[in-house]
Amino acid sequence: MLSVLVGRTGPFAGQSVVLGDAPLTFGRKSDNDVVIVSVSASRLHAEITVQDGAYVLHDRDSRNGTYVNDRRVTRHELTPGDTIRIGDETFLFETQEAVETVMDLSQLALPRADATTDPGVLRVTVSGGGPVGLAFALLLEDALPGRVSVTVYDGRWIRSGSTVVWKDETHGNVRRQQVVTVQSRQYLALTDDMRGAVFQEGQFSEMWPLGPDSVGGSPPRNIRIAHIEDRLLELANSKSGIRLVPKRFDAAESEHLIAHDHVLVVCEGGRSRTREHFADRFGAADASIYSLDGEHLQDVVLGLRVKSRLTDPMSVLLTVAQNRFLLNSLRGEGFLNMRLTREEARNVIGIDPVRQVFEECIAARPCVMSRQEDNEFVCPTHGTLFLPALLRSSPLWKRILEGLRLFGVAEDDLSAVTSFRLDMVQRPRFTAQLTRPAGDRPGTYGFLLGDAANAIHFWPGRGLNSGLASAVSLARSLSRAWRGRPLRDADFIRHEAAMSMLQYRHKSRAWNAMVTTDEQGVTRAIKDIIDGSMDSTPTAGNATPPGSAEPDLDVLLDRMRTIRDRLAARLPGLPDDAELRAHLSALAPATLRTLRESGAWDTLIVGGEEADIDIFYQQDAPVFVPAAPRAPDPRTPA
């Protein structure tokens, strides 16, 4: 008999949580199962565990207490009808039978009773409902109309009436407002419905020039991740073949369900728990390939949500001419990403003003700290403040302000800060048979897509593009292979080849965004070159010699002139020498030195030959199939 919690008041009103064998935690911290966004809630406030077959509610030393039926408790064995109050939220504890009388069971995360009755229906579970997971579900539903049943799980969703929507900050979920550049090779592979939903007028821009990935003369498009997520989720709600479950997928709890599906698709991102659950099937990742002198390289990037006053052509030129800052924006509004040195990365911390302790929420989760009226940057989940902004004389804050100046951003137009940790590993395979066929189960194949397969450094702008390409490839392979019979390894030769090509092409490109090799053949991490450039500039206590910035300024202008000449035919409106000199002269000498020594983007690598998965899905695609052994010729002597 299933037991559930049903929200009664607060943001969870009308929503349900199905209780299982695993503990269920409540609190303000984002790693709780139920995030309570309330000043009355503690970081870890309460927990429900299973003890002797019963569900027991425990208060975890919360400041304001946990209540059952308006009585404060420290431990309480739950019975149907109990009302639980945590912070400003109340929940009703009930069994499935009682809930059936007050709410539609379609709102519970239960398997459909008829899910296995039609052997001609391909049964698919998707863990992770971001852009890649939703794109895959929509592509497959379109390719196999009436012949596929796709269930998509994501704990960042919540049910609103008859539809599923994204949680917002009131539910403890900070939406991703970053802008991504989607290449036409990827967006033209989506269905008409998907393109119509995502690329609405005014919701994207075309600031980057045509390149090798531009198909049919269609340019790259800059668009917000949150907008893609909203539109794809809205479209998925309308598809009868797609079922949306607003719950984080738990592979351990769902193994009995997985065994009755044909396919499990893992799209949870670079830190996927589902992928790690099946690590023995997908094989161990190799970090040594992306290591330097025995150290696995990792970039830490500070994301600054800004509004730039520069034109798009000027922003493009300033971005590709150096490796310290990258602006990805939609009509000037987006994120200015700042590559940090090792020392700077250690300074990206918050401080709890009440307990007077440091908190790594912005560096470890990561969280988004939004600017408040008092000009402090506050994490809404943990109540912490961004320490570098409080210490305005700190070197990191001064360098942040220089980055704003480089891209024409007024300090008041910096509205939030976050951070990203970027590293890569080489994966041996992306397809694995999770269960074997048997009389009562079809045999389940697992697939890694998106960042769960290939987490890629975003400096070359290929993360989402690689993810969408992987979704397109798997949808094509499954739609071609599905004939109502158990799937085979041979069905996915093309997909595995496409994934390997995506890994090689995009990660080799991304590696060149992390390191550079000088004329003597010495390879160094770009973040260390940036750090070294600061050692060679005058310290804050020393006077800057007159004209000391001129050599760096001249080198930067020469570099930008070369880039401008190369882009002019594809990107009109680029600034002239006088405009560039006037703009760069406003920067501090130390900043000019760092921009110079960080080097320009290696556009030969970044804009080079693309990974085109179409070659694997043409009728005459070059896929090797071993020939059957021939019978021996009786005329040939033994």
Side-chain angles (χ1 to χ4, degrees):
M1 180 187 302
L2 285 177
S3 296
V4 298
L5 289 181
V6 181
R8 299 292 298 274
T9 62
F12 290 96
Q15 314 309 316
S16 62
V17 179
V18 179
L19 299 176
D21 295 333
L24 186 74
T25 59
F26 304 77
R28 279 196 297 124
K29 287 186 68 176
S30 58
D31 54 359
N32 285 292
D33 298 300
V34 180
V35 179
I36 307 294
V37 183
S38 167
V39 294
S40 303
S42 299
R43 286 172 170 78
L44 174 59
H45 193 109
E47 183 177 28
I48 295 177
T49 62
V50 179
Q51 297 179 9
D52 298 326
Y55 288 105
V56 180
L57 174 68
H58 302 268
D59 181 84
R60 295 306 185 198
D61 298 322
S62 65
R63 289 176 299 176
N64 295 308
T66 301
Y67 293 80
V68 176
N69 303 325
D70 292 327
R71 182 172 60 86
R72 187 164 183 168
V73 300
T74 55
R75 181 188 183 279
H76 177 82
E77 185 174 315
L78 294 168
T79 59
D82 281 345
T83 298
I84 303 167
R85 176 160 58 86
I86 298 173
D88 299 326
E89 312 284 344
T90 60
F91 301 87
L92 176 68
F93 175 78
E94 277 295 3
T95 59
Q96 174 183 330
E97 287 78 0
V99 174
E100 283 186 272
T101 65
V102 295
M103 67 183 298
D104 183 353
L105 274 182
S106 66
Q107 302 207 15
L108 298 180
L110 307 177
R112 286 176 292 199
D114 61 348
T116 60
T117 57
D118 187 348
V121 173
L122 177 69
R123 299 187 297 279
V124 179
T125 291
V126 180
S127 64
V132 175
L134 288 170
F136 165 75
L138 289 163
L139 287 163
L140 189 61
E141 196 271 347
D142 180 77
L144 293 173
R147 298 167 55 209
V148 66
S149 174
V150 186
T151 302
V152 188
Y153 288 80
D154 201 298
R156 297 168 296 174
W157 297 339
I158 193 170
R159 191 168 292 279
S160 177
S162 61
T163 62
V164 170
V165 299
W166 286 90
K167 294 177 179 177
D168 57 26
E169 290 191 15
T170 65
H171 306 108
N173 182 43
V174 179
R175 300 298 307 283
R176 294 190 291 174
Q177 298 299 329
Q178 290 88 341
V179 175
V180 292
T181 304
V182 184
Q183 301 290 336
S184 56
R185 186 181 299 280
Q186 301 347 311
Y187 68 70
L188 291 177
L190 305 179
T191 67
D192 291 342
D193 277 355
M194 295 168 72
R195 291 198 303 272
V198 170
F199 296 110
Q200 300 170 344
E201 186 175 353
Q203 296 297 331
F204 67 94
S205 68
E206 297 176 345
M207 64 181 286
W208 291 92
L210 296 173
D213 222 10
S214 301
V215 176
S218 298
R221 291 178 173 177
N222 273 23
I223 189 166
R224 296 192 191 286
I225 295 177
H227 174 77
I228 299 175
E229 292 174 334
D230 284 337
R231 299 289 75 80
L232 292 183
L233 183 59
E234 182 180 300
L235 187 59
N237 272 284
S238 68
K239 302 296 183 180
S240 60
I242 298 176
R243 173 172 167 259
L244 304 170
V245 179
K247 175 184 176 183
R248 186 175 62 186
F249 183 75
D250 190 312
E253 286 186 2
S254 304
E255 283 203 15
H256 64 292
L257 297 177
I258 296 171
H260 290 88
D261 281 348
H262 300 95
V263 172
L264 171 66
V265 182
V266 183
C267 306
E268 296 167 332
R271 302 181 185 277
S272 168
R273 294 172 56 177
T274 304
R275 182 193 61 217
E276 297 313 308
H277 180 81
F278 293 108
D280 60 324
R281 308 299 175 87
F282 289 107
D286 181 5
S288 65
I289 295 177
Y290 302 105
S291 299
L292 197 60
D293 298 328
E295 178 195 16
H296 183 207
L297 280 191
Q298 180 185 75
D299 267 349
V300 179
V301 175
L302 194 66
L304 310 167
R305 193 165 69 198
V306 300
K307 182 176 181 180
S308 170
R309 300 174 185 178
L310 300 184
T311 64
D312 286 348
M314 177 71 132
S315 296
V316 169
L317 183 56
L318 291 173
T319 292
V320 300
Q322 46 78 43
N323 271 286
R324 172 67 151 167
F325 299 96
L326 180 155
L327 178 65
N328 232 348
S329 65
L330 177 64
R331 297 183 180 86
E333 294 190 39
F335 272 77
L336 175 58
N337 298 306
M338 177 181 180
R339 190 195 307 258
L340 301 178
T341 66
R342 301 166 195 266
E343 179 63 28
E344 289 172 339
R346 287 191 285 268
N347 291 324
V348 177
I349 55 175
I351 184 169
D352 187 319
V354 177
R355 297 185 298 140
Q356 293 294 307
V357 296
F358 297 124
E359 171 71 63
E360 292 189 351
C361 64
I362 186 174
R365 262 34 118 203
C367 296
V368 176
M369 294 183 162
S370 299
R371 190 174 203 149
Q372 305 299 308
E373 293 181 356
D374 55 5
N375 285 329
E376 292 178 341
F377 294 86
V378 181
C379 172
T381 303
H382 303 94
T384 53
L385 307 178
F386 186 50
L387 185 60
L390 297 177
L391 306 174
R392 291 184 172 261
S393 61
S394 67
L396 178 55
W397 184 251
K398 290 179 179 179
R399 293 165 191 160
I400 290 172
L401 296 181
E402 282 289 285
L404 301 183
R405 190 171 294 114
L406 173 63
F407 281 93
V409 178
E411 186 177 348
D412 290 344
D413 287 331
L414 169 60
S415 57
V417 294
T418 186
S419 70
F420 316 91
R421 291 183 180 271
L422 303 165
D423 54 20
M424 298 183 295
V425 296
Q426 191 83 353
R427 299 207 172 275
R429 57 182 175 271
F430 308 93
T431 305
Q433 189 168 31
L434 305 182
T435 64
R436 296 286 182 181
D440 61 341
R441 59 181 185 266
T444 307
Y445 273 85
F447 302 91
L448 304 179
L449 295 188
D451 284 349
N454 284 320
I456 296 171
H457 197 298
F458 72 85
W459 219 262
R462 287 301 188 273
L464 182 60
N465 288 277
S466 177
L468 290 176
S470 66
V472 170
S473 175
L474 182 56
R476 289 179 181 177
S477 278
L478 284 170
S479 62
R480 290 185 177 201
W482 179 242
R483 298 292 183 270
R485 299 185 296 272
L487 299 168
R488 307 169 302 157
D489 289 337
D491 293 328
F492 307 110
I493 293 174
R494 288 176 172 83
H495 176 66
E496 190 70 14
M499 292 298 294
S500 296
M501 183 174 69
L502 287 169
Q503 173 168 250
Y504 170 75
R505 181 67 192 98
H506 288 163
K507 286 187 179 176
S508 62
R509 169 185 308 193
W511 175 247
N512 283 277
M514 299 179 75
V515 302
T516 187
T517 303
D518 61 23
E519 295 177 353
Q520 285 73 44
V522 178
T523 301
R524 299 172 61 198
I526 291 176
K527 64 181 178 182
D528 293 337
I529 292 174
I530 291 173
D531 188 35
S533 73
M534 298 173 186
D535 294 337
S536 61
T537 55
T539 62
N542 297 332
T544 303
S548 64
E550 285 301 315
D552 297 319
L553 179 57
D554 289 340
V555 170
L556 283 171
L557 287 172
D558 285 342
R559 183 186 298 168
M560 291 182 181
R561 190 178 298 115
T562 301
I563 297 170
R564 184 184 60 201
D565 292 344
R566 189 170 64 247
L567 294 180
R570 296 182 288 154
L571 188 62
L574 288 166
D576 58 24
D577 286 7
E579 186 178 353
L580 285 172
R581 180 174 287 276
H583 182 75
L584 294 174
S585 295
L587 300 176
T591 303
L592 292 171
R593 174 63 54 85
T594 294
L595 297 180
R596 169 189 171 175
E597 296 199 10
S598 70
W601 284 31
D602 189 340
T603 51
L604 181 63
I605 297 294
V606 172
E609 182 182 352
E610 290 302 321
D612 182 5
I613 66 168
D614 288 345
I615 65 174
F616 296 108
Y617 294 96
Q618 298 166 358
Q619 291 301 320
D620 56 348
V623 176
F624 174 73
V625 179
R630 293 185 298 176
D633 190 331
R635 295 170 297 179
T636 304

